[in-house]
Amino acid sequence: MTNAHKSDLLLVCVTLLAAISWMFSKEAVLLMPPLLFMAVRFIMAGAILAFAARRSLANLTPTQIRRGMSVGLVFGIAMSFWIMGLHHGTHVGEGAFLTSLGVVIVPIMAKLFFRESQPLSTWLAIPVAVSGLALLSLKNGFRPEAGQLFFVAAAAIFALFFLMNTHAANHRQIVRRDGTQVELAKVPPLPLCTLTLLTVGAVTLIESLWLEPWQPTLESLSWPLAWWVIASATVGTAGRFLLQTYAQSLSTHSHGVVILVLEPVWVALFAAGWFQETMAPTQLAGCSLIFAALLINRWSTLSKAIRGWLRKIA
């Protein structure tokens, strides 16, 4: 098996871990405040990665540390909206498709804020995604649920996080106000991931201290709750991100990102089996349109991957 094939297979495993993590998180927020859960989950995951990245963390410059923490700050805000969507939402599978809208929003933000040109497929995907979003919101006349609004807000902020994370992981040249150019050194993947997760933990911890009562949770600690938190931190966060980083290091091809659109599909299937969730026809149609938008948005990459695969088997 080639490294490229290994990478693709591992990325499929990443989508499965991500989907399972949705189930862990939903179980956990039924037993404890959502922001407190995120704080404990990400601090634990960040501590695990910090041990693995201790040497590379020590070699970071102050600028690299600031870049990593700024990525984590945005990611922390996005995750706060996401976990509130999961807490208030009535359909986990629906929430996964709404959150995946971030993939479609990324090119829009790249165009607006960073003046990056975008292929035609991006602009074709937008009306399809909006149509899917509308169908999901028409269940009671146009009255979106609180959970849906949180998920859509999270998707928009996730899009900004994806862009900032990409920029932090690569060398960049910026122009100061006086016209001089400065090159920013990239932050290596493992310490970048570590800083990001720890910052998310700090952000959600501050939010939880301000907004949530801890006493009921501390008085009703149980093994099931501990299991969901530990599983989310190790399998759904540290394990998932480490596996994804390793998978991406095995191949220089970018078509692997297409595989990640499988995540909402797995979440919907797991939610149907785990929580016995069912969707109305309009909800199914809305999720289908959002998934179609993801494929349209990644069509150029997907078509190249298909052509490459056909050449190999010919």
Side-chain angles (χ1 to χ4, degrees), residues 78-99:
M79 291 302 295
S80 299
F81 277 100
W82 176 81
I83 197 63
M84 294 307 294
L86 194 63
H87 179 64
H88 291 284
T90 55
H91 287 84
V92 175
E94 178 185 285
F97 280 96
L98 289 172
T99 305

Side-chain angles (χ1 to χ4, degrees), residues 41-274:
R41 168 187 171 181
F42 275 86
I43 289 173
M44 287 180 62
I48 293 170
L49 293 189
F51 178 78
R54 58 190 183 280
R55 291 183 180 178
S56 53
L57 283 171
N59 293 327
L60 294 180
T61 65
T63 300
Q64 288 175 311
I65 293 173
R66 284 196 299 272
R67 293 182 74 189
M69 292 181 67
S70 64
V71 172
L73 177 61
V74 173
F75 192 32
I77 297 172
M79 291 302 295
S80 299
F81 277 100
W82 176 81
I83 197 63
M84 294 307 294
L86 194 63
H87 179 64
H88 291 284
T90 55
H91 287 84
V92 175
E94 178 185 285
F97 280 96
L98 289 172
T99 305
S100 68
L101 284 171
V103 176
V104 180
I105 299 173
V106 166
I108 301 174
M109 286 195 171
K111 177 67 175 179
L112 292 176
F113 299 119
F114 300 100
R115 299 180 180 179
E116 296 179 8
S117 60
Q118 301 299 326
L120 177 62
S121 59
T122 294
W123 308 114
L124 293 176
I126 294 172
V128 179
V130 171
S131 299
L133 180 59
L135 284 176
L136 286 176
S137 303
L138 289 174
K139 185 170 59 175
N140 303 310
F142 191 73
R143 286 182 293 176
E145 297 176 352
Q148 292 175 330
L149 295 175
F150 278 121
F151 281 130
V152 173
I157 305 172
F158 277 135
L160 180 59
F161 157 70
F162 293 149
L163 288 170
M164 292 181 63
N165 198 44
T166 300
H167 289 167
N170 291 275
H171 292 287
R172 286 193 67 208
Q173 283 190 340
I174 61 172
V175 180
R176 290 178 172 173
R177 292 182 179 179
D178 59 5
T180 58
Q181 288 189 342
V182 178
E183 183 170 339
L184 297 177
K186 69 177 182 180
V187 186
L190 185 55
L192 174 60
C193 187
T194 302
L195 288 172
T196 299
L197 299 188
L198 289 174
T199 305
V200 172
V203 168
T204 49
L205 181 63
I206 293 171
E207 292 172 338
S208 180
L209 283 169
W210 184 32
L211 298 171
E212 296 175 335
W214 288 17
Q215 192 65 28
T217 302
L218 297 176
E219 292 176 350
S220 59
L221 290 176
S222 62
W223 282 113
L225 174 58
W227 158 250
W228 297 126
V229 172
I230 293 171
S232 297
T234 55
V235 177
T237 308
R240 169 196 172 185
F241 285 112
L242 270 179
L243 187 61
Q244 182 172 330
T245 301
Y246 175 65
Q248 290 177 315
S249 72
L250 292 176
S251 176
T252 58
H253 299 292
S254 61
H255 68 258
V257 72
V258 177
I259 297 172
L260 298 180
V261 303
L262 287 173
E263 180 181 334
V265 179
W266 293 131
V267 174
L269 292 174
F270 288 161
W274 198 305

